[in-house]
């Protein structure tokens, strides 16, 4: 199945393709295009068609979040709130037309972080539990990128059979804005106090108040959230 669009469009299409023999391929035409960045997908239609005809599908892992599946990153808390704000932002379409679609997320991140309130979380990763009274966001990655190129799960890989979890907690609002987000934009790992990296196959997230949950940049509901890695669950034709 050939899909022309962005991560959100591909997310909608693959809901019925997991654990089937149907292979999918993406010609990137969205604003963020994180899936295209991760796999090095071509934007050239001619090269795309050649790849469809010549390349064999590859089996990759899929991230399941409650009743949805996705290929990139699930975000809970601030990052999901940003995704929701960006989707409604008046500047998103304008920036996409100007070829600066990834800048839309950065604008929404700045305005959202200024007013977002952290929350208490209990995160269970396989058999281990992590509790934080001041949580900003919890990202679970099948791949490393979201938000138009932000490296939130730097060690994630879509064929290793585990999800990479990034917990951002116990940091001040100013540090989040002026230290951590600039590092994300540069693509550097967040090696700072208040940022914890973990790996696991099964993640359960409970929060002190309902907070938004997203996957592949699409908000799909509110917490609690059950997240799991589905190994080699989908056929993807990687057209480079």
């Amino acid at each position: 199945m050939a899909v022309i669009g962005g991560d959100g469009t591909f997310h909608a299409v693959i809901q019925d393709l997991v654990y089937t023999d149907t292979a999918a391929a993406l010609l990137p035409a969205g604003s963020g295009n994180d899936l295209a960045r991760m796999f090095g997908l071509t934007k050239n239609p001619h090269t795309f068609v050649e790849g469809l005809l010549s390349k064999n599908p590859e089996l990759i892992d899929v991230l399941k979040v409650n009743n949805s599946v996705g290929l990139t990153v699930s975000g809970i808390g601030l990052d999901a709130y940003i995704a929701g704000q960006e989707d409604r932002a008046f500047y998103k379409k304008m920036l996409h037309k100007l070829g600066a679609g990834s800048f839309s997320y950065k604008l929404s991140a700045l305005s959202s972080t200024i007013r977002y309130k952290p929350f208490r979380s209990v995160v269970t990763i396989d058999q281990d539990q992590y509790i934080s009274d001041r949580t900003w966001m919890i990202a679970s990655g099948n791949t490393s990128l979201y938000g138009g190129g932000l490296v939130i799960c730097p060690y994630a890989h879509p064929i290793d059979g585990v999800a990479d979890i990034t917990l951002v907690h116990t940091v001040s609002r100013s540090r989040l804005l002026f230290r951590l987000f600039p590092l994300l934009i540069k693509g550097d790992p967040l090696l700072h106090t208040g940022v914890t990296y973990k790996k696991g196959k099964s993640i359960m997230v409970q929060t002190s108040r309902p907070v938004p949950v997203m996957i592949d940049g699409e908000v799909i509901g509110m917490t609690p959230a059950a997240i799991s890695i589905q190994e080699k669950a989908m056929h993807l034709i990687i057209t480079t």
Side-chain angles (χ1 to χ4, degrees), residues 49-61:
V49 173
E50 286 185 338
L52 288 178
L53 297 175
S54 63
K55 292 182 177 290
N56 293 321
E58 297 186 30
L59 274 172
I60 63 170
D61 299 340

Side-chain angles (χ1 to χ4, degrees), residues 1-11 13-14 17 23-37 39-52 55 71 96 234 236-240:
M1 178 181 292
V3 179
I4 302 173
D7 296 333
T9 302
F10 203 63
H11 169 81
V13 170
I14 68 169
L17 299 184
L26 175 66
L27 179 62
S31 55
N33 293 325
D34 289 309
L35 197 62
R37 285 186 181 88
F39 289 101
L41 302 181
T42 182
K43 294 183 180 181
N44 183 291
H46 180 72
T47 305
F48 177 73
V49 173
E50 286 185 338
L52 288 178
K55 292 182 177 290
L71 296 184
H96 180 52
M234 186 180 153
L236 181 68
I237 301 174
I238 301 174
T239 55
T240 57

Side-chain angles (χ1 to χ4, degrees), residues 7-8 31-32 34 72-92 101-102 104-113 115-116 136-138 146-148 150 181 211-221:
D7 296 333
S31 55
D34 289 309
T72 59
V73 178
S74 169
I76 294 174
L78 175 59
D79 45 4
Y81 181 78
I82 292 169
Q85 294 299 302
E86 185 207 13
D87 193 53
R88 297 186 291 270
F90 70 91
Y91 46 75
K92 181 177 182 180
S102 63
S104 175
Y105 184 92
K106 297 175 179 66
L107 282 177
S108 297
L110 177 62
S111 61
S112 298
T113 304
R115 59 178 178 269
Y116 193 77
W136 289 99
M137 57 189 183
I138 301 146
Y146 71 178
L150 302 184
F181 270 124
V211 299
V213 179
M214 68 89 172
I215 186 168
D216 293 343
E218 302 295 309
V219 178
I220 59 169

